[in-house]
Coordinates of all heavy atoms in Angstrom, one line a residue:
R597 N 6.4 -9.7 -9.4 CA 5.7 -9.9 -10.6 C 5.5 -8.6 -11.4 O 5.5 -7.6 -10.8 CB 4.3 -10.6 -10.3 CG 4.4 -11.9 -9.6 CD 3.1 -12.4 -9.1 NE 3.1 -13.7 -8.4 CZ 3.4 -13.8 -7.1 NH1 3.7 -12.8 -6.4 NH2 3.5 -15.0 -6.6
K598 N 5.2 -8.8 -12.7 CA 5.0 -7.6 -13.6 C 3.8 -7.8 -14.5 O 3.5 -9.0 -14.8 CB 6.3 -7.4 -14.4 CG 7.6 -7.2 -13.7 CD 8.8 -7.1 -14.6 CE 10.1 -7.1 -13.8 NZ 11.3 -7.0 -14.8
K599 N 3.1 -6.7 -14.8 CA 2.0 -6.9 -15.7 C 1.8 -5.5 -16.5 O 2.3 -4.5 -16.1 CB 0.7 -7.2 -14.9 CG 0.3 -6.1 -14.0 CD -1.0 -6.5 -13.2 CE -2.2 -6.5 -14.1 NZ -3.5 -6.7 -13.3
D600 N 1.1 -5.6 -17.6 CA 0.9 -4.4 -18.4 C 0.0 -3.5 -17.6 O -0.9 -3.9 -16.8 CB 0.2 -4.8 -19.7 CG 1.2 -5.7 -20.6 OD1 2.3 -5.8 -20.2 OD2 0.7 -6.3 -21.6
C601 N 0.1 -2.2 -17.9 CA -0.7 -1.2 -17.2 C -0.9 0.0 -18.1 O 0.1 0.5 -18.7 CB 0.1 -0.8 -15.9 SG -0.7 0.6 -15.0
D602 N -2.2 0.4 -18.2 CA -2.5 1.6 -19.0 C -1.9 1.6 -20.4 O -1.5 2.6 -20.9 CB -2.1 2.9 -18.3 CG -2.8 3.0 -16.9 OD1 -3.9 2.4 -16.7 OD2 -2.2 3.7 -16.0
G603 N -1.9 0.4 -21.0 CA -1.4 0.3 -22.3 C 0.1 0.1 -22.5 O 0.6 0.1 -23.6
H604 N 0.8 0.1 -21.4 CA 2.2 -0.1 -21.4 C 2.6 -1.4 -20.9 O 2.1 -1.9 -19.9 CB 2.9 1.0 -20.5 CG 2.6 2.4 -21.0 ND1 3.2 3.0 -22.1 CD2 1.7 3.3 -20.5 CE1 2.7 4.3 -22.2 NE2 1.8 4.5 -21.3
K605 N 3.6 -2.0 -21.5 CA 4.0 -3.4 -21.1 C 4.8 -3.4 -19.8 O 5.8 -2.6 -19.7 CB 4.8 -4.0 -22.2 CG 5.3 -5.5 -22.0 CD 6.0 -6.1 -23.1 CE 6.4 -7.5 -22.8 NZ 5.3 -8.4 -22.4
D606 N 4.5 -4.2 -18.9 CA 5.2 -4.4 -17.7 C 5.4 -3.1 -16.9 O 6.4 -2.9 -16.2 CB 6.6 -5.1 -17.9 CG 6.5 -6.5 -18.4 OD1 5.4 -7.1 -18.2 OD2 7.5 -7.0 -19.0
Y607 N 4.4 -2.3 -16.9 CA 4.5 -1.0 -16.2 C 4.0 -1.1 -14.7 O 4.1 -0.1 -14.0 CB 3.8 0.1 -16.9 CG 4.7 1.0 -17.8 CD1 5.7 0.4 -18.5 CD2 4.6 2.4 -17.8 CE1 6.5 1.2 -19.3 CE2 5.4 3.1 -18.5 CZ 6.4 2.5 -19.3 OH 7.3 3.3 -20.0
E608 N 3.5 -2.2 -14.3 CA 3.1 -2.4 -13.0 C 4.0 -3.5 -12.4 O 4.1 -4.6 -12.9 CB 1.6 -2.9 -12.8 CG 1.2 -3.2 -11.4 CD -0.2 -3.7 -11.2 OE1 -0.9 -3.6 -12.2 OE2 -0.5 -4.2 -10.1
Y609 N 4.6 -3.2 -11.2 CA 5.4 -4.2 -10.5 C 4.5 -4.5 -9.2 O 4.0 -3.5 -8.6 CB 6.7 -3.7 -10.0 CG 7.8 -3.6 -11.1 CD1 7.5 -3.7 -12.5 CD2 9.1 -3.5 -10.8 CE1 8.4 -3.6 -13.4 CE2 10.1 -3.4 -11.7 CZ 9.8 -3.5 -13.1 OH 10.7 -3.4 -14.1
Y610 N 4.4 -5.7 -8.9 CA 3.5 -6.0 -7.7 C 4.0 -7.3 -7.0 O 4.8 -8.1 -7.6 CB 2.1 -6.2 -8.1 CG 1.7 -7.3 -9.0 CD1 1.1 -8.5 -8.4 CD2 1.9 -7.3 -10.4 CE1 0.8 -9.6 -9.2 CE2 1.6 -8.4 -11.2 CZ 1.0 -9.5 -10.6 OH 0.7 -10.6 -11.4
M611 N 3.5 -7.5 -5.8 CA 3.8 -8.7 -5.0 C 2.6 -9.0 -4.2 O 1.9 -8.2 -3.7 CB 5.0 -8.4 -4.1 CG 5.7 -9.6 -3.6 SD 7.2 -9.2 -2.6 CE 8.3 -8.7 -4.0
H612 N 2.3 -10.3 -4.2 CA 1.1 -10.8 -3.4 C 1.4 -10.6 -1.9 O 2.5 -10.8 -1.5 CB 0.8 -12.3 -3.7 CG 0.2 -12.5 -5.1 ND1 -0.9 -11.8 -5.5 CD2 0.5 -13.3 -6.1 CE1 -1.3 -12.2 -6.7 NE2 -0.4 -13.0 -7.1
L613 N 0.3 -10.4 -1.2 CA 0.4 -10.2 0.3 C -0.4 -11.4 0.9 O -1.6 -11.5 0.7 CB -0.2 -8.9 0.7 CG 0.5 -7.6 0.2 CD1 -0.2 -6.4 0.7 CD2 2.0 -7.6 0.6
D614 N 0.3 -12.2 1.7 CA -0.3 -13.3 2.4 C -0.9 -12.8 3.7 O -0.6 -11.7 4.2 CB 0.7 -14.4 2.6 CG 1.3 -15.0 1.4 OD1 0.6 -15.1 0.4 OD2 2.5 -15.4 1.4
N615 N -1.8 -13.6 4.3 CA -2.4 -13.3 5.6 C -3.0 -11.9 5.5 O -2.9 -11.1 6.4 CB -1.4 -13.3 6.7 CG -0.8 -14.7 6.9 OD1 -1.4 -15.7 6.6 ND2 0.4 -14.8 7.4
F616 N -3.7 -11.6 4.4 CA -4.2 -10.3 4.1 C -5.3 -9.9 5.0 O -6.3 -10.7 5.2 CB -4.6 -10.2 2.6 CG -4.8 -8.8 2.0 CD1 -3.7 -8.1 1.7 CD2 -6.0 -8.3 1.8 CE1 -3.8 -6.8 1.2 CE2 -6.2 -7.0 1.3 CZ -5.1 -6.3 1.0
V617 N -5.3 -8.7 5.5 CA -6.3 -8.2 6.4 C -6.8 -6.9 5.9 O -6.0 -5.9 5.7 CB -5.8 -8.0 7.9 CG1 -6.8 -7.4 8.8 CG2 -5.3 -9.3 8.4
V618 N -8.1 -6.8 5.7 CA -8.7 -5.5 5.3 C -9.4 -4.9 6.5 O -10.2 -5.6 7.2 CB -9.8 -5.7 4.2 CG1 -10.5 -4.4 3.8 CG2 -9.2 -6.3 2.9
L619 N -9.1 -3.7 6.9 CA -9.6 -3.1 8.1 C -11.0 -2.7 7.9 O -11.4 -2.2 6.8 CB -8.8 -1.8 8.4 CG -7.5 -2.0 9.2 CD1 -6.5 -2.8 8.4 CD2 -6.8 -0.6 9.5
E620 N -11.8 -2.9 8.9 CA -13.2 -2.5 8.9 C -13.3 -1.0 8.9 O -14.2 -0.5 8.2 CB -14.0 -3.1 10.1 CG -14.1 -4.6 10.1 CD -14.9 -5.1 11.2 OE1 -15.4 -4.3 12.0 OE2 -15.0 -6.4 11.4
Q621 N -12.4 -0.4 9.5 CA -12.4 1.1 9.5 C -10.9 1.5 9.3 O -10.0 1.1 10.0 CB -12.9 1.7 10.8 CG -12.9 3.2 10.9 CD -13.4 3.7 12.2 OE1 -14.0 2.9 13.0 NE2 -13.3 5.0 12.5
S622 N -10.7 2.4 8.3 CA -9.3 2.8 8.0 C -8.7 3.5 9.2 O -9.4 4.2 10.0 CB -9.4 3.8 6.8 OG -9.9 3.2 5.7
L623 N -7.4 3.3 9.3 CA -6.6 3.9 10.4 C -6.0 5.2 9.8 O -5.1 5.2 9.0 CB -5.5 3.0 10.9 CG -4.8 3.5 12.1 CD1 -5.7 3.4 13.3 CD2 -3.5 2.6 12.4
S624 N -6.6 6.4 10.2 CA -6.2 7.7 9.7 C -4.8 8.0 10.1 O -4.2 7.5 11.0 CB -7.2 8.7 10.1 OG -7.0 8.9 11.5
A625 N -4.2 9.0 9.3 CA -2.9 9.5 9.6 C -2.8 10.1 11.1 O -1.8 9.9 11.8 CB -2.5 10.6 8.6
S626 N -3.9 10.8 11.5 CA -3.9 11.4 12.8 C -3.9 10.3 13.9 O -3.3 10.4 14.9 CB -5.1 12.3 13.0 OG -6.3 11.7 12.8
K627 N -4.7 9.2 13.6 CA -4.7 8.1 14.6 C -3.4 7.4 14.6 O -3.0 6.9 15.7 CB -5.9 7.1 14.1 CG -6.1 6.0 15.2 CD -6.6 6.5 16.5 CE -6.9 5.4 17.5 NZ -7.3 5.9 18.8
M628 N -2.7 7.2 13.5 CA -1.4 6.6 13.5 C -0.4 7.4 14.3 O 0.4 6.8 15.0 CB -0.9 6.5 12.0 CG -1.6 5.5 11.2 SD -1.1 5.5 9.4 CE 0.6 5.1 9.6
K629 N -0.5 8.7 14.2 CA 0.3 9.6 15.0 C 0.1 9.4 16.5 O 1.0 9.3 17.3 CB 0.2 11.0 14.6 CG 1.1 12.0 15.3 CD 0.9 13.4 14.8 CE 1.9 14.4 15.6 NZ 1.7 15.8 15.1
E630 N -1.2 9.3 16.8 CA -1.6 9.1 18.2 C -1.1 7.7 18.7 O -0.6 7.6 19.9 CB -3.2 9.1 18.3 CG -3.7 8.9 19.7 CD -5.2 8.8 19.8 OE1 -5.8 9.5 18.9 OE2 -5.8 8.1 20.6
V631 N -1.2 6.7 17.9 CA -0.9 5.3 18.3 C 0.7 5.2 18.5 O 1.1 4.6 19.4 CB -1.4 4.3 17.3 CG1 -0.8 2.9 17.5 CG2 -2.9 4.2 17.3
T632 N 1.4 5.8 17.5 CA 2.9 5.6 17.5 C 3.6 6.7 18.3 O 4.8 6.5 18.7 CB 3.4 5.5 16.1 OG1 3.2 6.7 15.4 CG2 2.7 4.4 15.3
G633 N 3.0 7.8 18.4 CA 3.7 8.9 19.1 C 4.4 9.9 18.2 O 5.1 10.8 18.7
H634 N 4.3 9.7 16.9 CA 4.9 10.6 16.0 C 4.3 10.5 14.6 O 3.6 9.5 14.3 CB 6.5 10.3 15.8 CG 6.8 8.9 15.4 ND1 6.9 8.6 14.1 CD2 7.0 7.8 16.1 CE1 7.2 7.3 14.0 NE2 7.3 6.8 15.2
G635 N 4.5 11.5 13.7 CA 3.9 11.5 12.4 C 4.8 10.8 11.4 O 5.9 10.4 11.6
F636 N 4.2 10.7 10.2 CA 4.9 10.1 9.0 C 4.8 11.0 7.8 O 3.9 11.8 7.7 CB 4.3 8.7 8.7 CG 4.3 7.7 9.9 CD1 3.2 7.6 10.8 CD2 5.4 7.0 10.1 CE1 3.3 6.7 11.8 CE2 5.5 6.1 11.2 CZ 4.4 6.0 12.0
N637 N 5.7 10.8 6.9 CA 5.7 11.5 5.6 C 5.0 10.7 4.5 O 5.6 9.8 3.9 CB 7.1 11.8 5.2 CG 7.2 12.6 3.9 OD1 6.2 13.1 3.4 ND2 8.4 12.8 3.4
F638 N 3.7 11.0 4.3 CA 2.9 10.2 3.4 C 3.1 10.6 1.9 O 2.4 10.1 1.1 CB 1.5 10.2 3.8 CG 1.2 9.5 5.1 CD1 1.0 10.3 6.2 CD2 1.2 8.1 5.2 CE1 0.7 9.7 7.5 CE2 1.0 7.5 6.4 CZ 0.7 8.3 7.6
R639 N 3.9 11.6 1.7 CA 4.1 12.1 0.3 C 4.9 11.1 -0.5 O 4.9 11.1 -1.7 CB 4.7 13.4 0.3 CG 3.8 14.6 0.8 CD 4.6 15.9 0.9 NE 5.6 15.8 2.0 CZ 6.4 16.8 2.3 NH1 6.3 18.0 1.7 NH2 7.3 16.7 3.3

């Protein structure tokens, strides 16, 4: 789907997420590394 953004037409592309889960506590980058055994490039 597309919608206007910051005064520009169709500048946001998005997709709905089903079975949506909001975490009670965010999973930090360091915790993700601990859980998976390696780091990620979040840039």
Side-chain angles (χ1 to χ4, degrees):
R597 300 171 178 85
K598 305 175 185 179
K599 63 181 289 189
D600 297 348
C601 173
D602 298 334
H604 301 282
K605 182 176 178 57
D606 292 341
Y607 260 44
E608 176 186 348
Y609 285 16
Y610 67 100
M611 198 172 289
H612 285 307
L613 300 178
D614 298 327
N615 300 332
F616 197 73
V617 176
V618 178
L619 276 61
E620 294 183 5
Q621 181 178 350
S622 301
L623 189 68
S624 67
S626 60
K627 185 63 176 179
M628 291 173 62
K629 182 176 182 179
E630 177 186 331
V631 169
T632 63
H634 59 87
F636 301 94
N637 181 7
F638 294 104
R639 290 173 293 181

